[in-house]
């Protein structure tokens, strides 16, 4: 594991207990709806074997369960603290919670009908390896649906950047009890790829039909991409 990954892992272990509450406040309650939307893309396609990567406390995995009660769902993360919480909520919702690093997934080729994730890509040390692993574990024709934050752009960008830099660490300090961890979350968003650059990386990994839907003044995006039906 690279240094960046160990730091990210320690950060999420440390914020796990208060993560959902701070997330709700940061997104003014929209996170749950975005997760529902991500899951809806995955469940709208044929098949019912899903992987929710970087599952955290399992919000997207639970949305998949709500939308497809008969599905088999793996919720994977490399933070044990997050996985413990995910298991504890509602008895785990009959989801297979597994420890996994997104750079090296412990799953076979072409296992899943869809892979979902929320706020994974900006945290990883090797984006191309992470996208290649998702491509590998998807069945041909399978879909990735993901929520990701995105650096603000346009006329409001300076105000949004200022707002993020002041409000989020303050929420992190008083509610999340860890100002530095939330400063990292802001900096990783502000330093992340533009939508054009991220689209190019999906395409480079072999995906097609790459679409992005902005949310929250473009600071969050819902991505969908498909592994070609004729991919080996
Ligand atoms: C911001 S949280 C998001 C959790 C959840 N997806 C959500 O939307 O609420 C990011 C999660 O990604 C996980 N993560 C980051 N890098 C990872 C990696 N390389 N492999 C597996 N999980 C990773 C963290 O442990 C953390 O639980």
């Amino acid at each position: 594991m690279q240094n960046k990954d160990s730091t990210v892992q320690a950060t999420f272990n440390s914020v796990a207990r208060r993560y959902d509450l701070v997330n709700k406040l940061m997104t003014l309650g929209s996170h749950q709806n975005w997760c529902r939307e991500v899951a809806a893309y995955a469940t709208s396609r044929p098949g019912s074997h899903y992987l929710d990567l970087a599952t955290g406390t399992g919000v997207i995995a639970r949305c998949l369960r709500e939308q497809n009660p008969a599905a088999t769902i793996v919720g994977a993360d490399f933070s044990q603290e997050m996985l413990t919480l995910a298991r504890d909520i509602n008895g785990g919702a009959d989801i297979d919670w597994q420890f996994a690093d997104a750079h090296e997934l412990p799953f076979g080729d072409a296992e899943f009908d869809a892979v979902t994730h929320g706020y994974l890509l900006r945290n990883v040390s090797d984006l191309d390896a992470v996208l290649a692993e998702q491509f590998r574990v998807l069945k041909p024709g399978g879909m990735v649906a993901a929520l990701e934050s995105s650096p603000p752009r346009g006329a409001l960008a300076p105000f949004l950047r200022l707002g993020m830099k002041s409000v989020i660490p303050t929420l992190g300090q008083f509610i999340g009890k860890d100002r530095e961890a939330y400063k990292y979350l802001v900096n990783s968003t502000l330093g992340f790829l533009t939508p054009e650059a991220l689209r190019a990386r999906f395409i480079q990994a072999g995906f097609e039909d790459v679409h992005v839907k902005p949310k929250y003044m473009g600071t969050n995006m819902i991505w969908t991409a498909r592994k070609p039906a004729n991919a080996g």
Side-chain angles (χ1 to χ4, degrees):
M1 199 183 283
Q2 306 276 330
N3 273 349
K4 170 170 174 170
D5 301 313
S6 315
T7 309
V8 166
Q9 189 180 43
T11 299
F12 283 107
N13 276 329
S14 136
V15 300
R17 296 237 149 241
R18 291 174 174 256
Y19 174 79
D20 279 342
L21 176 59
V22 180
N23 214 12
K24 203 180 232 172
L25 294 170
M26 278 192 311
T27 64
L28 303 177
S30 300
H31 177 250
Q32 179 77 36
N33 288 338
W34 298 336
C35 289
R36 259 190 215 116
E37 203 172 324
V38 166
Y41 281 115
T43 57
S44 67
R45 298 189 54 80
S48 56
H49 190 33
Y50 307 126
L51 169 63
D52 181 40
L53 260 180
T55 194
T57 59
V59 181
I60 297 176
R62 283 190 174 72
C63 293
L64 290 165
R65 167 61 67 234
E66 269 169 30
Q67 294 171 20
N68 188 341
T72 52
I73 304 168
V74 177
D77 202 289
F78 76 170
S79 159
Q80 281 293 4
E81 294 294 325
M82 286 285 194
L83 287 171
T84 300
L85 286 170
R87 265 188 210 104
D88 286 353
I89 302 169
N90 303 334
D94 196 18
I95 289 162
D96 181 10
W97 304 106
Q98 290 197 28
F99 182 94
D101 182 345
H103 296 88
E104 217 174 353
L105 295 176
F107 308 114
D109 296 352
E111 265 195 39
F112 296 98
D113 296 296
V115 173
T116 57
H117 45 90
Y119 304 132
L120 167 67
L121 300 179
R122 70 168 201 261
N123 287 308
V124 302
S125 62
D126 188 342
L127 175 64
D128 297 322
V130 164
L131 291 176
E133 277 294 83
Q134 293 173 34
F135 190 88
R136 180 181 69 75
V137 301
L138 272 173
K139 293 179 187 168
M143 167 178 267
V144 171
L147 172 64
E148 196 50 73
S149 51
S150 194
R153 297 202 298 180
L156 289 179
F159 304 103
L160 291 171
R161 268 198 293 271
L162 196 65
M164 287 167 75
K165 281 185 167 177
S166 52
V167 174
I168 295 177
T170 305
L171 280 178
Q173 179 175 355
F174 292 107
I175 314 248
K177 309 289 180 204
D178 191 337
R179 186 176 179 89
E180 287 311 306
Y182 284 88
K183 263 169 119 175
Y184 160 76
L185 293 188
V186 174
N187 290 335
S188 62
T189 295
L190 297 180
F192 192 48
L193 299 176
T194 61
E196 292 76 17
L198 184 52
R199 176 194 296 276
R201 303 290 273 275
F202 270 107
I203 291 169
Q204 192 184 305
F207 289 100
E208 62 183 19
D209 291 345
V210 182
H211 295 291
V212 61
K213 195 165 161 194
K215 300 282 178 187
Y216 219 44
M217 292 177 280
T219 56
N220 284 253
M221 303 275 172
I222 293 184
W223 288 88
T224 53
R226 213 162 46 82
K227 178 170 173 173
N230 60 0

